[in-house]
Amino acid sequence: MKKKLSLILLAAALTGTAPIPADACTGITLKSQDGRTVVARTIEWGGSDLESQYVIVPRGYRQQSFLPGGATDGMSFTARHGYVGLSVEQEQFVAEGLNEAGLSAGLFYFPAYGQYETYNPAEKATTIADLQLVAYVLGECATIDEVKAAVQRVHVVQIDPRASTVHWRFTDPSGRQVVLEIVEGGQLRFYENTLGVLTNSPDLPWHLTNLNNYVNLFPGSAPAQKLGSVELRQFGAGSGFLGLPGDVTPPSRFVRAAFYQATAPQQATSEKAVLQGFQILNNFDIPVGIEFAGGKVPADIPSATQWTSATDMAGRRIYFRTMYDSRIRCIDLDGIDFGKAKYQAVPMDKRKEQPIKMIH
């Protein structure tokens, strides 16, 4: 009953039965001088506490997909690779994760643009809920090519047709990254994401085209120039980015992320790139309140950005911090024996309060 209730609440939060919160996610990709790739992202939800957990899934662990209507007898899948995931709402709904083969996978909201196939009960043995696709892929795949093949073997559906659709980002240790969008009744569209940025709707090709609207932006300061008899000068540093959109809509966040990522100095090591990723993504924290009409904030949470993560695939480490605790925490997959480990689901925050260290 608890699982079914959580599904209903999540669907309600995504539909007209509850105030629409910020369903925003921002992803970037950084490459260090030692040849490693780091993917980092935020996850936003302004309507309630997502009660996020980290899960440790050993090899051989079997799961079963939820189905529309709250049924839990969908596709059965067993992990060939152990993995660590960061879940939302329920431990089965892994939103970001890394497996022992070094494959990273994550889901991002994709409202109004995705369209899955219609659920067919006769195909329930090969039908998986969209919010469980990351878990399936992490347990099954080691490379991008394996991801493509695995997704084509299943039917991806929504648990509740009123809920938002999602799209996915997959990255392997080589640095190759693809985005999967399912549209027009179930058509799979894989895009090679050489830029490495992802937000939400519209689709990825639209966002890449939209970058052309900002061809005038450049790092540094704009030179002084004459306007008739008046000389125009900058007010301060960074005037080359004057006109960079500052709102929290997905198109604006995509543009900001693309320019911040492209102008960030390349770090020597992946660990330094991880820290840089968190610093860049500070700029995408969404405070509770701006996405609701005055007096309509539904949840008592400190931020709509509930957590931020960074993943070093080659180093097999996943890092995260949360809205309750800004300290960066790390899970080292090399320290886990996925052949002997037991399944675990642990709250990201056992104490929901920002720790403060007294120094005087």
Side-chain angles (χ1 to χ4, degrees), residues 82-257:
Y83 64 88
V84 171
L86 307 179
S87 69
V88 293
E89 193 69 29
Q90 294 189 187
E91 62 195 65
Q92 298 90 346
F93 299 160
V94 175
E96 185 72 24
L98 173 69
N99 72 14
E100 60 182 325
L103 181 76
S104 168
L107 65 82
F108 291 64
Y109 289 111
F110 191 47
Y113 281 80
Q115 186 182 75
Y116 312 138
E117 61 185 278
T118 301
Y119 170 56
N120 181 356
E123 298 172 333
K124 70 177 183 179
T126 53
T127 295
I128 188 167
D130 58 348
L131 298 180
Q132 290 176 273
L133 187 66
V134 168
Y136 165 63
V137 165
L138 289 174
E140 182 69 17
C141 306
T143 67
I144 296 298
D145 288 337
E146 288 185 8
V147 171
K148 289 184 174 183
V151 173
Q152 290 169 352
R153 292 195 295 266
V154 300
H155 302 277
V156 180
V157 300
Q158 287 174 292
I159 295 169
D160 188 312
R162 300 169 299 171
S164 171
T165 53
V166 299
H167 57 178
W168 297 264
R169 175 181 70 176
F170 305 106
T171 315
D172 67 23
S174 73
R176 183 184 178 192
Q177 183 178 119
V178 298
V179 170
L180 167 63
E181 296 177 346
I182 303 179
V183 297
E184 297 176 3
Q187 293 187 31
L188 305 179
R189 292 184 179 172
F190 284 98
Y191 300 104
E192 297 286 336
N193 191 14
T194 55
L195 179 62
V197 173
L198 188 63
T199 57
N200 313 105
S201 302
D203 57 43
L204 181 60
W206 186 97
H207 284 293
L208 294 173
T209 300
N210 184 53
L211 288 176
N212 290 288
N213 283 318
Y214 300 91
V215 68
N216 59 298
L217 300 184
F218 58 93
S221 300
Q225 60 175 308
K226 287 280 190 177
L227 182 65
S229 60
V230 178
E231 185 175 58
L232 306 181
R233 295 180 177 272
Q234 60 173 327
F235 287 119
S239 55
F241 268 11
L242 189 63
L244 187 73
D247 61 84
V248 301
T249 63
S252 294
R253 284 185 287 106
F254 191 99
V255 172
R256 254 192 346 275

Side-chain angles (χ1 to χ4, degrees), residues 24 57 84 103 105 116 140 148 151 182 184 202 223 226 250 272 276 286 306 318 321 342 344 349:
V57 181
V84 171
L103 181 76
Y116 312 138
E140 182 69 17
K148 289 184 174 183
V151 173
I182 303 179
E184 297 176 3
K226 287 280 190 177
K272 289 184 177 181
Q276 183 182 53
I286 298 178
Q306 300 212 10
I318 186 167
R321 69 178 181 211
K342 301 294 184 182
Q344 298 179 54
D349 296 297

